Amino acid sequence: MLRSLVGSEMCIRDRDSAAQHCDGICRAIVRDLVAAGEYPSFDAVLHTLLRANRVSHIRQLNLPSPEVVPCLRWLLELQNKVEGFLRSWLALRGIATVCDLDAELAQMLQSFEFPAIAPDISNPEEISLSDDEQEAAQRGEFEAYGVGCIRRHPLVRRHFGLAPGFELRDGTNMPVVLEALLEFAQGRTGAIRPGEFYSSLCRIHQVNHLSDLGLTIAPGCLQQELLMAAHVRQATEQHRARVHTRALQRLHQEQMDSADKVVARTVAAPAVQC
């Protein structure tokens, strides 16, 4: 009995040691993939780990499953959240931009209080965020989570058809596209012709294709988007007009009150005898 317990304890220690060792390797793999411009998915990191150790299964590393390695567990949780969000987000939008996707994805992860990749406790010199990642965290971008920019994700690349050199700063966002759509439709009658609008948008931004802006537009959605944008603009203008009118009314009332006080003080003042 005692021998069995001692053996079990040694196995647990060996497993914990193996998990810690593999965790350090996985973190290095993540950094190398990001530096190479690739997205460090759970599958990519696990495959690289197994190949580096010349094994075909995680059990050959004295580990029961990949989830016992903290870095792999974190990557798997991130992958499940990100891919579920990407599929639903892209399916629900007629006009989609990488810039809007990046910001809303970061907001989603923050709402779940999902942490950025943690530093390796076995390496005190390692920090959790690079300088670029710290700047991304301040801007509320997905890059702050330590796995590179969302433009490198396979689903994003496939959906937007992004060129390898695309950067978020080169992209556009939904308000800019809708404003351009409203301006394009001004003075026109009939349905919007998508090809003409695409060409106009590319000329405005001096690019050759919508993918250079990190933008996709679903077929047949422009007319609906135009109606919604026009409604929002009209409602916004009406709200601003009401606010402006109320401000003028308050200013006029304050001027009237001030004039009344001056008259009241003048009437109340004693007459000066010559």
Side-chain angles (χ1 to χ4, degrees), residues 250-262:
R250 283 197 300 270
L251 178 61
H252 178 69
Q253 186 62 46
E254 290 171 0
Q255 291 174 341
M256 293 291 293
D257 293 343
S258 178
D260 290 343
K261 291 177 181 178
V262 171

Side-chain angles (χ1 to χ4, degrees), residues 5-232:
L5 290 174
V6 171
S8 299
E9 184 179 349
M10 291 179 62
C11 287
I12 292 173
R13 285 204 302 266
D14 291 344
R15 185 178 64 191
D16 291 343
S17 176
Q20 185 176 7
H21 174 70
C22 290
D23 187 60
I25 296 176
C26 288
R27 293 173 189 276
I29 292 171
V30 169
R31 290 194 297 270
D32 290 345
L33 289 174
V34 171
E38 300 179 27
Y39 185 79
S41 66
F42 168 82
D43 294 331
V45 175
L46 176 59
H47 175 73
T48 307
L49 171 68
L50 296 178
R51 188 176 57 187
N53 286 276
R54 298 180 180 179
V55 297
S56 59
H57 197 276
I58 195 74
R59 291 185 181 275
Q60 294 175 269
L61 298 176
N62 196 31
L63 297 171
S65 68
E67 287 85 346
V68 299
V69 180
C71 182
L72 289 176
R73 182 173 62 248
W74 181 87
L75 284 171
L76 184 59
E77 293 176 3
L78 178 70
Q79 178 173 293
N80 291 336
K81 282 184 168 54
V82 169
E83 292 191 359
F85 180 85
L86 288 179
R87 287 191 171 90
S88 61
W89 193 91
L90 294 172
L92 292 172
R93 280 162 176 75
I95 297 176
T97 76
V98 178
C99 292
D100 292 325
L101 171 61
D102 181 83
E104 293 186 35
L105 175 59
Q107 291 173 4
M108 181 275 292
L109 292 172
Q110 290 167 6
S111 70
F112 281 102
E113 298 183 352
F114 192 81
I117 189 167
D120 183 1
I121 57 175
S122 65
N123 181 8
E125 295 182 356
E126 182 181 345
I127 59 175
S128 58
L129 295 178
S130 66
D131 292 340
D132 289 341
E133 290 162 354
Q134 288 177 348
E135 293 177 3
Q138 294 172 354
R139 295 191 299 268
E141 295 177 357
F142 176 74
E143 190 174 357
Y145 285 87
V147 291
C149 182
I150 192 58
R151 65 181 170 81
R152 297 173 178 171
H153 194 285
L155 286 178
V156 175
R157 280 185 173 179
R158 186 162 57 249
H159 182 85
F160 288 95
L162 299 176
F166 175 82
E167 297 291 343
L168 282 179
R169 63 176 176 270
D170 300 327
T172 187
N173 55 40
M174 186 73 161
V176 172
V177 176
L178 292 180
E179 187 64 30
L181 180 59
L182 287 168
E183 294 299 325
F184 178 81
Q186 190 171 8
R188 296 173 182 265
T189 58
I192 298 296
R193 294 182 178 179
E196 293 181 2
F197 175 64
Y198 301 162
S199 299
S200 173
L201 200 58
C202 289
R203 282 197 303 272
I204 292 172
H205 293 277
Q206 299 180 347
V207 297
N208 296 321
H209 196 268
L210 294 183
S211 61
D212 297 328
L213 299 173
L215 168 68
T216 61
I217 301 177
C221 79
L222 285 180
Q223 204 64 33
Q224 180 180 359
E225 295 288 350
L226 175 62
L227 292 174
M228 293 177 62
H231 173 73
V232 170

